[in-house]
Amino acid sequence: MDAQQFEPLWTIGDVALFLNVPVHTLYGWRTKNYGPPARRVGKHLRYLPSEVRGWFEHLLEEAA
């Protein structure tokens, strides 16, 4: 698998904008094992955009 197959990783700020929630909410969700999956890169959180979208779509399916 090469790097061209991946979208650029999102920061927590990017995810907050996408979901229209405060960054603080995402940190709170992480302490409760909720929210889109993130990975640590050093001291920073990074998200795969496809996983964030998948997590969000799963919420919509559960609500239906």
Side-chain angles (χ1 to χ4, degrees):
M1 201 177 286
D2 63 53
Q4 292 179 339
Q5 292 178 308
F6 292 103
E7 296 178 79
L9 298 174
W10 284 357
T11 65
I12 196 163
D14 296 330
V15 176
L17 285 172
F18 177 76
L19 297 175
N20 196 28
V21 299
V23 168
H24 182 75
T25 297
L26 290 170
Y27 283 121
W29 286 352
R30 278 186 58 81
T31 65
K32 297 174 183 168
N33 294 317
Y34 182 74
R39 290 157 181 82
R40 284 221 170 266
V41 179
K43 65 179 183 174
H44 305 283
L45 289 174
R46 294 294 180 258
Y47 297 81
L48 288 171
S50 60
E51 291 184 353
V52 175
R53 290 185 200 104
W55 175 83
F56 183 72
E57 289 170 4
H58 182 71
L59 288 179
L60 295 174
E61 292 169 4
E62 286 182 350

